[in-house]
Amino acid sequence: MDMQKPVRVRFAPSPTGFIHVGNVRTALFNWLWAGRLGGTFMLRIEDTDAERSEARYEEQLMEDLRWLGLDWNEGVGRGGDCGPYRQSDRYGIYREYARRLLDEDKAYRCFCSAEELDAVRQEQAAKKETPLYSGKCRHLPQGEVDEKLRAGAPFTLRLRVRPGTVGFDDLVFGRVEIATSMVSDPVLLRSDGSPTYNFCCVIDDALMRITHVIRGDGHLPNTHRQVLAYEALGFAPPRFAHLSTILGPDGQKLSKRHGATSIEEFRRRGYLPEALVNYLALLGWSPATDGEEIFSADEIKAQFDLGRVVKSPAVFDPAKLDWMNRTYINKTPGEVLAKTARPYFEEAGLVADADADPDPAATDAWLGRVIDLVKTHVDHLDQLPAASGVVYGFADAAGGETAVPPEAPLALEDAARAALAPPEARAVAEEFARLAYGRERLDSESYREMLGGVKAATKQKGRNLYHPIRAALTGRDSGPDLERLIAVYEDGARLGLPRKVASCKERLRAFLAML
Ligand code: GLU
């Protein structure tokens, strides 16, 4: 590699659908490579498929990239000196180069109809031959060409593939070389004059001074055609790095069948962008040091090396991603998570919509404390409301369920009832309640004082002291730290939320009355 040349890479999605795990891994590896080498990461929109390209997909993919933190420093939405960066805005450029290739006889007009080409393909398939263009129009006499043009016969423009071999040194796959006899003369312009991906891509990568093309290995066959196009155009090809296909846990190509695959969906379900970035970086790449798997984007950037990308297919394991997301959720403070998680609580009717909330900041702060109490139970943030039953007084959701049960009176779980059955336990709970009823305000500090009082009065300590108090306050026999929970109950009750949070005294009265 020419180390003098500043590194310039691009992510070049086609806006024909939501971007999925595979596209984002490609974007990420480009972003990491540019970041590692202090280069430029460009966003180019490849919308030559006018029928399937839609502006909303373009907007969505930019939003996805921004959300993931994969900021680009040149391209669509950013500008730069190699624009325009949307291929549909560059048709004049492609036509000019097509004209040049035609004039130099490096490209030729092909008048074969789609039916004709199809018939040949079928014949080849029947004989189990590689489908290849017959070369019928390669050497049409000029007179015949002129005649067809006069008659208005439609034609495509094809690149004249030279004899010999074509190859490149892929940074992941190593030397890749094939005989050009195995390559059909690529179509550069379709019969409606629109340019094809292989043509636009080469011209753009050359004019945009791209140094490394990092993309999915599904493009390997295109790369041969593109290298031939570079030659014909007189451009030096960039370096190539093809990334292996991503498979599902069953070894099949990753698809919808394997669950969420679009970034939009991961975002909707409350995956954290830093967890996704961390997980996707490890799909095909690994750091030189073994063991550690949790890295920030900057840490990955500092050690990312295309030379350590493997060509064997990477397996996308949703369970591992969940583990990673959980890890990130647990290391992120609740008050930070509350900002992203609040809409899930709003949707479940547990807190007011922010714009209808008289004190949204107070709600956020309280929600952050709720989240800190229950977050160890979730894989993604959309599971948080259903995991907050200990605060709101509903039963825990089973197995990742996100629905919250309808509002109902407080219920004493059987295990809590059993915990309060022995007379000594009940005495502890009743003494605690008596002290609580006598206080104006309950908080963590008064809780500690009351504990001391109950201990002195009942002579109970340790589990015999805490367990009955927990049962009488929460209606459960296990759960998060009581001291913090008590303050969350009290503040939640004061906030007057759309879904009622019972105060400590209300809880004690209700539960003790059920014994
Ligand atoms: N538009 C192509 C795709 O989305 C880009 C391939 C490339 O990076 O050259 O697959």
Side-chain angles (χ1 to χ4, degrees), residues 189-243:
L189 297 183
R190 301 185 190 91
S191 56
D192 63 0
S194 65
T196 59
Y197 156 69
N198 276 315
F199 190 41
C200 301
C201 183
V202 167
I203 292 173
D204 290 351
D205 284 340
L207 298 185
M208 295 175 181
R209 307 189 303 277
I210 295 300
T211 56
H212 298 77
V213 166
I214 306 169
R215 62 185 169 201
D217 65 1
H219 285 289
L220 273 168
N222 284 326
T223 306
H224 293 117
R225 298 180 192 121
Q226 293 182 8
V227 169
L228 289 163
Y230 278 103
E231 268 181 40
L233 289 159
F235 295 139
R239 299 300 308 269
F240 294 97
H242 287 88
L243 309 176

Coordinates of all heavy atoms in Angstrom, one line a residue, residues 189-243:
L189 N -24.0 0.5 -20.2 CA -25.2 1.3 -20.3 C -26.3 0.4 -20.7 O -26.1 -0.5 -21.6 CB -25.1 2.4 -21.3 CG -24.0 3.5 -21.1 CD1 -24.2 4.6 -22.2 CD2 -24.2 4.2 -19.8
R190 N -27.5 0.5 -20.0 CA -28.6 -0.3 -20.4 C -29.3 0.3 -21.7 O -28.9 1.4 -22.1 CB -29.7 -0.3 -19.3 CG -29.1 -0.9 -18.0 CD -30.2 -1.0 -17.0 NE -29.7 -1.3 -15.6 CZ -29.3 -0.4 -14.7 NH1 -29.5 0.9 -15.0 NH2 -28.8 -0.7 -13.6
S191 N -30.2 -0.4 -22.2 CA -30.8 0.1 -23.5 C -31.6 1.4 -23.3 O -31.7 2.1 -24.3 CB -31.7 -1.0 -24.1 OG -32.7 -1.3 -23.2
D192 N -31.9 1.7 -22.1 CA -32.5 3.0 -21.9 C -31.5 4.1 -21.6 O -31.8 5.3 -21.3 CB -33.6 3.0 -20.8 CG -32.9 2.7 -19.4 OD1 -31.7 2.5 -19.4 OD2 -33.7 2.6 -18.4
G193 N -30.2 3.8 -21.8 CA -29.1 4.7 -21.6 C -28.7 4.9 -20.1 O -27.7 5.5 -19.9
S194 N -29.4 4.2 -19.2 CA -29.0 4.3 -17.8 C -27.7 3.5 -17.5 O -27.6 2.4 -18.1 CB -30.1 3.9 -16.9 OG -30.4 2.5 -17.0
P195 N -26.8 4.0 -16.7 CA -25.6 3.3 -16.5 C -25.8 2.1 -15.4 O -26.7 2.2 -14.6 CB -24.7 4.4 -15.9 CG -25.6 5.3 -15.2 CD -26.9 5.3 -16.0
T196 N -24.9 1.1 -15.5 CA -25.1 0.0 -14.6 C -24.2 0.2 -13.4 O -23.2 1.0 -13.4 CB -24.6 -1.3 -15.3 OG1 -23.3 -1.1 -15.7 CG2 -25.5 -1.6 -16.4
Y197 N -24.4 -0.5 -12.3 CA -23.6 -0.5 -11.1 C -22.1 -0.6 -11.4 O -21.3 0.2 -10.9 CB -24.1 -1.5 -10.1 CG -23.1 -1.9 -9.1 CD1 -22.6 -1.0 -8.1 CD2 -22.4 -3.2 -9.2 CE1 -21.6 -1.3 -7.2 CE2 -21.4 -3.5 -8.3 CZ -21.0 -2.6 -7.3 OH -20.0 -2.9 -6.4
N198 N -21.8 -1.6 -12.1 CA -20.3 -1.9 -12.4 C -19.6 -0.7 -13.0 O -18.4 -0.5 -12.8 CB -20.1 -3.2 -13.2 CG -20.2 -4.4 -12.3 OD1 -19.6 -4.4 -11.2 ND2 -20.9 -5.4 -12.7
F199 N -20.4 0.0 -13.9 CA -19.7 1.1 -14.6 C -19.6 2.3 -13.6 O -18.6 2.9 -13.5 CB -20.6 1.4 -15.8 CG -20.0 2.4 -16.8 CD1 -18.6 2.3 -17.1 CD2 -20.7 3.4 -17.4 CE1 -18.0 3.2 -17.9 CE2 -20.2 4.3 -18.3 CZ -18.8 4.2 -18.6
C200 N -20.8 2.7 -13.0 CA -20.8 3.9 -12.1 C -19.8 3.7 -11.0 O -19.1 4.6 -10.6 CB -22.2 4.0 -11.5 SG -23.5 4.2 -12.6
C201 N -19.7 2.5 -10.4 CA -18.9 2.2 -9.3 C -17.4 2.5 -9.6 O -16.7 3.2 -8.8 CB -19.1 0.8 -8.9 SG -18.2 0.3 -7.4
V202 N -17.0 2.1 -10.8 CA -15.6 2.2 -11.2 C -15.3 3.7 -11.4 O -14.3 4.2 -10.9 CB -15.3 1.4 -12.4 CG1 -14.0 1.8 -13.1 CG2 -15.3 -0.1 -12.1
I203 N -16.2 4.4 -12.1 CA -15.9 5.8 -12.4 C -15.9 6.6 -11.1 O -15.0 7.4 -10.9 CB -17.0 6.3 -13.4 CG1 -16.8 5.6 -14.8 CG2 -16.9 7.8 -13.5 CD1 -17.8 5.9 -15.8
D204 N -16.9 6.3 -10.3 CA -17.0 7.0 -9.0 C -15.8 6.8 -8.1 O -15.1 7.7 -7.5 CB -18.2 6.7 -8.3 CG -19.5 7.3 -9.0 OD1 -19.3 8.0 -9.9 OD2 -20.6 6.9 -8.6
D205 N -15.4 5.5 -8.0 CA -14.3 5.2 -7.1 C -13.0 5.8 -7.6 O -12.2 6.3 -6.8 CB -14.1 3.6 -6.9 CG -15.2 3.0 -6.0 OD1 -15.8 3.8 -5.2 OD2 -15.5 1.8 -6.1
A206 N -12.9 5.9 -8.9 CA -11.7 6.5 -9.5 C -11.7 8.0 -9.3 O -10.8 8.6 -8.7 CB -11.6 6.1 -10.9
L207 N -12.8 8.6 -9.7 CA -12.9 10.1 -9.6 C -12.9 10.6 -8.1 O -12.5 11.7 -7.8 CB -14.1 10.6 -10.3 CG -14.2 10.4 -11.8 CD1 -15.4 11.1 -12.5 CD2 -12.9 10.8 -12.5
M208 N -13.5 9.8 -7.3 CA -13.5 10.2 -5.9 C -12.3 9.8 -5.1 O -12.2 9.8 -3.9 CB -14.8 9.6 -5.2 CG -16.1 10.1 -5.8 SD -17.6 9.4 -5.2 CE -18.8 10.2 -6.2
R209 N -11.3 9.3 -5.8 CA -10.0 9.0 -5.3 C -10.0 8.0 -4.1 O -9.3 8.1 -3.1 CB -9.2 10.2 -4.9 CG -9.1 11.3 -6.0 CD -8.2 12.4 -5.6 NE -8.5 13.1 -4.3 CZ -9.4 14.1 -4.2 NH1 -10.1 14.5 -5.3 NH2 -9.6 14.6 -3.0
I210 N -10.9 7.0 -4.3 CA -11.0 5.9 -3.3 C -9.8 5.1 -3.3 O -9.3 4.6 -4.3 CB -12.3 5.1 -3.6 CG1 -13.6 5.9 -3.4 CG2 -12.4 3.9 -2.7 CD1 -13.8 6.6 -2.1
T211 N -9.2 4.8 -2.1 CA -8.0 4.0 -2.0 C -8.3 2.6 -1.7 O -7.5 1.7 -2.1 CB -7.0 4.6 -1.0 OG1 -7.7 4.6 0.3 CG2 -6.5 6.0 -1.3
H212 N -9.4 2.4 -0.9 CA -9.7 1.0 -0.5 C -11.2 0.8 -0.7 O -12.0 1.6 -0.2 CB -9.4 0.7 1.0 CG -8.0 0.9 1.3 ND1 -7.3 2.1 1.4 CD2 -7.0 -0.1 1.5 CE1 -6.1 1.9 1.7 NE2 -5.8 0.6 1.8
V213 N -11.5 -0.3 -1.4 CA -12.9 -0.6 -1.6 C -13.2 -1.8 -0.6 O -12.6 -2.9 -0.8 CB -13.3 -1.0 -3.0 CG1 -14.6 -1.7 -3.1 CG2 -13.2 0.2 -3.9
I214 N -14.0 -1.5 0.4 CA -14.3 -2.6 1.4 C -15.7 -2.9 1.3 O -16.6 -2.0 1.5 CB -13.9 -2.1 2.9 CG1 -12.5 -1.6 2.9 CG2 -14.2 -3.2 3.9 CD1 -12.2 -0.8 4.2
R215 N -16.1 -4.1 0.9 CA -17.5 -4.4 0.7 C -17.7 -5.9 0.8 O -16.7 -6.7 0.9 CB -17.9 -3.9 -0.7 CG -17.2 -4.6 -1.9 CD -17.6 -4.0 -3.2 NE -16.6 -4.4 -4.3 CZ -16.5 -3.8 -5.4 NH1 -17.1 -2.7 -5.7 NH2 -15.6 -4.3 -6.3
G216 N -18.9 -6.3 0.7 CA -19.3 -7.7 0.9 C -18.7 -8.6 -0.2 O -18.5 -8.2 -1.3
D217 N -18.5 -9.9 0.2 CA -17.8 -10.8 -0.8 C -18.8 -11.2 -1.9 O -18.4 -11.8 -2.9 CB -17.2 -12.0 -0.1 CG -18.2 -12.9 0.6 OD1 -19.4 -12.6 0.5 OD2 -17.8 -13.9 1.2
G218 N -20.0 -10.9 -1.8 CA -21.0 -11.1 -2.9 C -20.6 -10.3 -4.1 O -21.0 -10.6 -5.2
H219 N -19.7 -9.3 -3.9 CA -19.3 -8.5 -5.0 C -18.0 -9.0 -5.7 O -17.5 -8.4 -6.6 CB -19.1 -7.0 -4.5 CG -20.3 -6.3 -4.3 ND1 -21.2 -5.9 -5.4 CD2 -21.0 -5.9 -3.2 CE1 -22.2 -5.3 -4.9 NE2 -22.2 -5.3 -3.6
L220 N -17.4 -10.1 -5.2 CA -16.2 -10.6 -5.8 C -16.3 -10.8 -7.3 O -15.4 -10.3 -8.0 CB -15.8 -11.9 -5.1 CG -14.9 -11.8 -3.9 CD1 -14.8 -13.2 -3.1 CD2 -13.5 -11.3 -4.2
P221 N -17.4 -11.4 -7.8 CA -17.4 -11.5 -9.3 C -17.5 -10.1 -10.0 O -17.0 -10.0 -11.1 CB -18.7 -12.3 -9.5 CG -19.1 -12.9 -8.2 CD -18.5 -12.0 -7.2
N222 N -18.1 -9.1 -9.3 CA -18.1 -7.8 -9.9 C -16.8 -7.2 -10.0 O -16.4 -6.4 -10.9 CB -19.0 -6.9 -9.1 CG -20.5 -7.1 -9.3 OD1 -20.9 -7.5 -10.4 ND2 -21.3 -7.0 -8.3
T223 N -15.9 -7.5 -9.0 CA -14.6 -6.9 -8.9 C -13.8 -7.3 -10.2 O -13.1 -6.4 -10.7 CB -13.9 -7.3 -7.6 OG1 -14.8 -7.0 -6.6 CG2 -12.6 -6.5 -7.5
H224 N -13.9 -8.5 -10.7 CA -13.2 -8.8 -11.9 C -13.6 -7.9 -13.0 O -12.8 -7.4 -13.8 CB -13.5 -10.3 -12.3 CG -12.9 -11.3 -11.4 ND1 -13.6 -12.1 -10.6 CD2 -11.6 -11.5 -11.0 CE1 -12.9 -12.8 -9.9 NE2 -11.6 -12.5 -10.1
R225 N -14.9 -7.7 -13.2 CA -15.4 -6.9 -14.3 C -14.9 -5.5 -14.0 O -14.6 -4.7 -15.0 CB -17.0 -6.9 -14.3 CG -17.5 -8.2 -14.5 CD -19.0 -8.2 -14.5 NE -19.5 -9.6 -14.5 CZ -20.3 -10.1 -13.6 NH1 -20.7 -9.4 -12.6 NH2 -20.7 -11.3 -13.7
Q226 N -14.9 -5.0 -12.8 CA -14.6 -3.7 -12.5 C -13.1 -3.4 -12.8 O -12.7 -2.4 -13.3 CB -14.9 -3.3 -11.0 CG -16.4 -3.3 -10.8 CD -16.9 -2.9 -9.4 OE1 -16.1 -2.5 -8.6 NE2 -18.2 -3.0 -9.2
V227 N -12.3 -4.4 -12.4 CA -10.8 -4.3 -12.7 C -10.6 -4.1 -14.2 O -9.8 -3.3 -14.7 CB -10.0 -5.4 -12.1 CG1 -8.6 -5.4 -12.6 CG2 -10.0 -5.4 -10.6
L228 N -11.4 -4.9 -15.0 CA -11.2 -4.7 -16.5 C -11.7 -3.3 -16.9 O -11.1 -2.7 -17.8 CB -12.1 -5.8 -17.2 CG -11.5 -7.2 -17.0 CD1 -12.5 -8.3 -17.4 CD2 -10.2 -7.4 -17.9
A229 N -12.7 -2.8 -16.2 CA -13.2 -1.5 -16.6 C -12.2 -0.4 -16.2 O -11.9 0.6 -16.9 CB -14.5 -1.2 -15.9
Y230 N -11.5 -0.6 -15.0 CA -10.4 0.4 -14.7 C -9.4 0.4 -15.8 O -9.0 1.5 -16.2 CB -9.8 -0.1 -13.4 CG -10.5 0.3 -12.1 CD1 -11.3 -0.6 -11.4 CD2 -10.4 1.6 -11.6 CE1 -11.9 -0.2 -10.2 CE2 -11.1 2.0 -10.5 CZ -11.9 1.1 -9.8 OH -12.5 1.5 -8.7
E231 N -9.0 -0.8 -16.2 CA -8.0 -0.9 -17.2 C -8.4 -0.1 -18.5 O -7.7 0.7 -19.0 CB -7.8 -2.3 -17.7 CG -6.8 -3.1 -16.9 CD -6.7 -4.5 -17.4 OE1 -6.8 -4.7 -18.7 OE2 -6.6 -5.4 -16.6
A232 N -9.6 -0.4 -18.9 CA -10.1 0.2 -20.2 C -10.2 1.8 -20.0 O -9.9 2.5 -21.0 CB -11.5 -0.3 -20.5
L233 N -10.5 2.2 -18.8 CA -10.7 3.6 -18.6 C -9.3 4.3 -18.3 O -9.3 5.5 -18.3 CB -11.6 3.9 -17.4 CG -13.1 3.6 -17.7 CD1 -13.9 3.4 -16.4 CD2 -13.8 4.7 -18.5
G234 N -8.3 3.5 -18.1 CA -7.0 4.1 -17.8 C -6.8 4.5 -16.4 O -6.0 5.4 -16.1
F235 N -7.6 4.0 -15.5 CA -7.6 4.3 -14.1 C -6.8 3.3 -13.3 O -6.9 2.1 -13.7 CB -9.0 4.4 -13.5 CG -9.8 5.5 -14.0 CD1 -11.2 5.3 -14.2 CD2 -9.3 6.8 -14.2 CE1 -12.0 6.3 -14.7 CE2 -10.2 7.8 -14.7 CZ -11.5 7.5 -14.9
A236 N -6.1 3.7 -12.3 CA -5.4 2.7 -11.4 C -6.5 2.1 -10.5 O -7.2 2.9 -9.8 CB -4.3 3.3 -10.7
P237 N -6.7 0.8 -10.3 CA -7.7 0.3 -9.4 C -7.3 0.6 -8.0 O -6.1 0.6 -7.6 CB -7.8 -1.2 -9.7 CG -6.6 -1.5 -10.5 CD -6.0 -0.2 -11.1
P238 N -8.2 0.7 -7.1 CA -7.9 0.8 -5.6 C -7.6 -0.6 -5.1 O -7.6 -1.5 -5.8 CB -9.3 1.3 -5.0 CG -10.3 0.7 -6.0 CD -9.7 0.6 -7.3
R239 N -7.2 -0.6 -3.8 CA -7.1 -1.9 -3.1 C -8.5 -2.4 -2.8 O -9.4 -1.6 -2.5 CB -6.3 -1.8 -1.8 CG -4.9 -1.2 -2.0 CD -4.0 -2.1 -2.8 NE -4.0 -3.5 -2.4 CZ -3.1 -4.0 -1.6 NH1 -2.2 -3.3 -1.0 NH2 -3.2 -5.3 -1.3
F240 N -8.6 -3.8 -2.8 CA -10.0 -4.3 -2.4 C -9.9 -5.2 -1.2 O -8.9 -5.8 -0.9 CB -10.4 -5.2 -3.6 CG -10.7 -4.5 -4.9 CD1 -9.8 -4.4 -5.9 CD2 -12.0 -3.8 -5.0 CE1 -10.0 -3.7 -7.0 CE2 -12.2 -3.1 -6.2 CZ -11.3 -3.0 -7.2
A241 N -10.9 -5.1 -0.4 CA -11.0 -6.0 0.8 C -12.5 -6.5 0.8 O -13.4 -5.7 1.0 CB -10.7 -5.2 2.1
H242 N -12.7 -7.7 0.6 CA -14.0 -8.3 0.6 C -14.3 -8.9 1.9 O -13.5 -9.7 2.4 CB -14.2 -9.2 -0.6 CG -14.3 -8.5 -1.9 ND1 -13.2 -8.2 -2.7 CD2 -15.4 -8.0 -2.6 CE1 -13.6 -7.5 -3.8 NE2 -14.9 -7.4 -3.7
L243 N -15.5 -8.6 2.4 CA -15.8 -9.1 3.8 C -16.7 -10.4 3.6 O -17.7 -10.3 2.7 CB -16.6 -8.1 4.6 CG -15.9 -6.7 4.6 CD1 -16.7 -5.7 5.4 CD2 -14.5 -6.9 5.3

